[in-house]
Amino acid sequence: MLRGTYIDPDAGRVAFQKYAENWLRNQPLEATSRETIERRLRLHVYPVLGSKSLRQIDPSAIRGWLHGLSLASSNSQHSVFTNVSTVFSAAVDDGLVPKNPCKARSVRAPRLERRRAVPWDAVRVMAVREALPDSGAQSRRGDEGCTRGR
């Protein structure tokens, strides 16, 4: 209230899962993207944060959730964290909570692992090409299908 803004304390009583499901329903996403985000939230977020109200989830709760997050890669962890942060950003925009707990200085987002693509050598490319089924839609010549303006 010192900054001239007021957030109704009752506004943040909605459960994270209920708010996130409503948020996701209203996003202009492709079906596969929507399904991916829904699966991430259902498997990795709702079991821990889903029943808590938005206002109960503070930076400490986010740190605890992140500490217990067991996914195969830090890139997967980063994706789930980004989804949670995006939901909280929407809750801030909607006036339900004053701040996004994921953006607190004490919360460290999982790092993205930057991996360089290693191209296949010619022997492997030829082996894969030879293993493809022979159909009129596929070509065994390397220069077909890469032209512009068709």
Side-chain angles (χ1 to χ4, degrees):
M1 187 93 167
L2 296 175
R3 296 181 194 177
T5 59
Y6 174 75
I7 302 289
D8 180 358
D10 291 336
R13 288 187 186 212
V14 62
F16 179 87
Q17 182 171 346
K18 183 176 180 181
Y19 182 79
E21 288 171 346
N22 185 55
W23 168 83
L24 186 57
R25 228 182 344 268
N26 293 303
Q27 296 306 300
L29 299 169
E30 296 291 328
T32 54
S33 296
R34 184 179 313 283
E35 291 166 6
T36 298
I37 293 169
E38 187 280 326
R39 185 177 59 251
R40 286 180 190 151
L41 293 171
R42 180 174 34 85
L43 296 176
H44 306 292
V45 182
Y46 296 160
V48 177
L49 301 176
S51 63
K52 294 180 185 279
S53 69
L54 292 172
R55 70 181 188 168
Q56 286 178 307
I57 303 172
D58 58 9
S60 178
I62 296 296
R63 288 190 306 271
W65 166 70
L66 280 171
H67 181 74
L69 194 58
S70 57
L71 289 166
S73 74
S74 63
N75 287 354
S76 296
Q77 291 176 1
H78 185 271
S79 295
V80 173
F81 176 81
T82 299
N83 294 147
V84 171
S85 183
T86 302
V87 169
F88 270 107
S89 290
V92 170
D93 291 346
D94 289 344
L96 301 179
V97 292
K99 292 188 262 183
N100 180 341
C102 297
K103 294 186 177 182
R105 287 184 297 186
S106 63
V107 174
R108 289 191 179 172
R111 292 183 182 233
L112 280 175
E113 294 175 13
R114 302 283 183 203
R115 292 180 279 185
R116 293 186 83 134
V118 178
W120 290 350
D121 60 31
V123 173
R124 188 167 184 186
V125 170
M126 292 308 293
V128 169
R129 183 181 293 155
E130 292 302 319
L132 291 173
D134 197 16
S135 72
Q138 294 181 351
S139 170
R140 296 199 188 274
R141 287 186 48 201
D143 60 346
E144 293 181 20
C146 297
T147 59
R148 293 183 182 206
R150 283 191 186 188

